[in-house]
Amino acid sequence: MDKFFLENAVQAKKKIEELVAQGYTHDEVYVFAHSEDREDKISDALDSEQVGMAEMGFLDTMKNMFTSRGDTLRAQMESIGLSKAEAEEGESELDKGKLLLVAKK
């Protein structure tokens, strides 16, 4: 698993292109942003994956509807294989306006 902190969608697009050239598929690349709207737009524009029920399961997905965005982001990051410490670091960087891109085979 590889993770990258990026400043904007232009950098994310370039990194995704590099990962695809290395053999990753778009379904193996996840983009996280602190703003859910920003995350949705970037994921759609770059044809990357979003963490959903398949990764988290039904109960965790439902629970996240009632938790803070930070809690939801950390849970999503852990559901794709990041450690608790990595998820906390990731959420902290997202708080600063960065994007987190995770490539997972």
Side-chain angles (χ1 to χ4, degrees):
M1 182 177 336
D2 295 306
K3 64 180 182 174
F4 309 92
F5 293 106
L6 306 163
E7 297 294 328
N8 54 49
V10 173
Q11 288 180 354
K13 181 180 188 307
K14 183 177 179 186
K15 182 54 75 177
I16 289 171
E17 288 170 354
E18 290 173 13
L19 291 166
V20 168
Q22 294 172 18
Y24 284 94
T25 67
H26 287 272
D27 290 341
E28 297 169 327
V29 178
Y30 297 85
V31 175
F32 295 92
H34 203 279
S35 161
E36 191 169 359
D37 185 52
R38 181 180 183 205
E39 182 177 298
D40 289 344
K41 287 178 180 175
I42 291 170
S43 292
D44 288 345
L46 301 180
D47 192 27
S48 63
E49 194 64 27
Q50 289 186 294
V51 176
M53 205 173 307
E55 292 83 8
M56 296 197 67
F58 178 75
L59 292 177
D60 285 335
T61 300
M62 295 305 293
K63 182 178 91 174
N64 283 334
M65 294 176 70
F66 303 100
T67 60
S68 74
R69 179 69 177 154
D71 291 341
T72 299
L73 286 166
R74 287 188 302 277
Q76 289 175 338
M77 290 177 208
E78 288 179 41
S79 75
I80 63 165
L82 295 181
S83 69
K84 184 174 181 152
E86 288 173 318
E88 288 174 2
E89 174 195 20
E91 201 264 328
S92 175
E93 291 298 311
L94 296 181
D95 283 343
K96 299 174 188 173
K98 293 186 179 180
L99 299 173
L100 171 60
L101 191 143
V102 178
K104 176 186 172 194
K105 284 217 176 254

